[in-house]
Amino acid sequence: MGRDLYDNFATARAIFDEADQALGFPLSKLIFEGPEEQLKLTEHTQPAILTASVAAARVFTEALAEKGITGPAFAAGHSLGEYSAHVAAGTLSFADAIRTVRSRGQYMQQAVPPGEGAMAAILGFSADLINDICAQVSDDLTPLPNSPEAKSFSPNSAVVSPANLNSPDQTVISGATAAVERAADLCKQAGAKRAVILQVSAPFHCALMQPAQDALAADLKTITFNDPAFPVAANVDARLLTSRTEVPDCLIRQVTGSVRWVECIQLLIAEGATHFIEVGPGKVLTGLMRQIDRTQKTSHVEDSASLEKTLASLT
């Protein structure tokens, strides 16, 4: 992940070196050499993906400038990717972002004990119906006040809600394990094509993440934010942010709030975006775009080959 760019572009090497310095340990060595079980820890995965994504974005914008192309006009990032989008827009420094997302990963991991939370991808089913089923499951699992069951009831055990509204065909739900499993089963019974329990380290973007949200809020108060150089779509509200004063609150609420990705993309299209370039490892967002609006032009940049292909498509 990111090794090709590191080997071929000084701009990318500078980002990986800055990551190592900001974190105080060789993250780049962990990314390139493993061990994989360490890289899979959320506190390492989040800064690793951020580093590879920012490196790709810096290389890409530098290559655009060399060809006399100004860009980008907007930015958006999915969940963790929202930090990459803000770094690209200059809203916060890369060093502050990488330290923050490492802590974010730690807080998320600590918020829910292993095994008590889960996430599931629901495919081929209406997001509105999924939301209704989640609400019904939460109601069903919550005992009546003053009932015998209420004395030992933990509200956390009834949490389940839409976490990632990824495309018209894909919504991810998150919450307590039993509640997620029940909601997934009901979605399948109601006509969903598939309901797949995901292998994740924590139930992201749901109310169980409130302790992580509170801890992150304290961290973000210590960071200096700038007005973004171009508008950045906020996951939690599906609106464009243009002022530094708006950013911390959106990043805070994002921890427990849903990633409204479909609405973010639709917003950018409505604002006149015509080319969507995914920067960083993989092509997940490009795949989601095909489900949201197949008429949009998409490409990606994660290594030298994809960089050249994307540049050729723009010139």
Side-chain angles (χ1 to χ4, degrees):
M1 183 172 64
R3 186 60 187 257
D4 176 88
L5 296 179
Y6 179 90
D7 289 341
N8 290 289
F9 297 92
T11 300
R13 286 195 295 277
I15 291 297
F16 280 91
D17 292 345
E18 186 177 353
D20 293 348
Q21 184 175 2
L23 295 178
F25 73 93
L27 176 69
S28 57
K29 186 175 188 294
L30 182 61
I31 293 172
F32 299 146
E33 301 177 14
E36 188 174 350
E37 61 270 17
Q38 283 294 313
L39 189 57
K40 284 183 175 179
L41 295 176
T42 303
E43 65 182 271
H44 294 150
T45 305
Q46 295 201 18
I49 293 173
L50 176 74
T51 300
S53 298
V54 171
R58 293 278 172 87
V59 168
F60 178 55
T61 53
E62 189 176 76
L64 286 179
E66 290 175 355
K67 292 184 175 293
I69 301 174
T70 302
F74 306 97
H78 188 289
S79 188
L80 168 68
E82 192 166 348
Y83 287 83
S84 302
H86 278 297
V87 173
T91 318
L92 74 167
S93 71
F94 173 64
D96 281 340
I98 196 166
R99 285 189 289 262
T100 299
V101 301
R102 187 190 184 200
S103 296
R104 178 180 182 265
Q106 292 172 331
Y107 300 150
M108 287 177 161
Q109 195 68 68
Q110 295 163 1
V112 180
E116 293 189 11
M119 300 181 77
I122 312 300
L123 307 179
F125 201 50
S126 160
D128 288 339
L129 291 177
I130 293 170
N131 186 62
D132 291 344
I133 287 173
C134 286
Q136 185 59 54
V137 168
S138 292
D139 288 344
D140 291 346
L141 293 177
T142 302
L144 295 172
N146 303 318
S147 66
E149 294 83 4
K151 295 179 180 179
S152 59
F153 172 71
S154 168
N156 284 350
S157 65
V159 170
V160 60
S161 60
N164 302 334
L165 303 168
N166 287 337
S167 77
D169 193 56
Q170 182 189 125
T171 298
V172 175
I173 61 175
S174 179
T177 300
V180 169
E181 291 173 346
R182 175 62 176 158
D185 285 343
L186 289 178
C187 286
K188 282 196 291 186
Q189 293 174 29
K193 290 180 182 178
R194 295 181 66 197
V196 183
I197 300 297
L198 303 177
Q199 296 299 314
V200 293
S201 57
F204 305 119
H205 300 292
C206 74
L208 297 182
M209 289 287 108
Q210 189 63 51
Q213 179 167 303
D214 294 341
L216 183 67
D219 287 356
L220 290 177
K221 289 179 180 178
T222 69
I223 292 177
T224 299
F225 288 87
N226 307 304
D227 291 338
F230 39 80
V232 178
N235 284 179
V236 72
D237 293 329
R239 64 186 176 93
L240 294 176
L241 304 184
T242 58
S243 170
R244 63 183 180 274
T245 60
E246 304 172 284
V247 176
D249 176 64
C250 289
L251 292 177
I252 291 166
R253 290 187 292 115
Q254 187 220 59
V255 177
T256 58
S258 300
V259 175
R260 295 164 60 181
W261 189 247
V262 175
E263 292 172 84
C264 286
I265 294 300
Q266 291 172 338
L267 172 64
L268 295 178
I269 294 170
E271 289 289 330
T274 57
H275 291 70
F276 292 80
I277 316 298
E278 181 174 4
V279 291
K283 295 189 287 185
V284 172
L285 301 183
T286 301
L288 293 179
M289 176 61 86
R290 294 193 186 101
Q291 298 176 27
I292 297 170
D293 188 341
R294 295 187 67 88
T295 68
Q296 299 304 313
K297 297 177 181 178
T298 60
S299 52
H300 78 291
V301 174
E302 63 176 327
D303 53 23
S304 299
S306 56
L307 172 65
E308 291 304 317
K309 186 175 180 179
T310 295
L311 289 174
S313 72
L314 296 175
T315 56

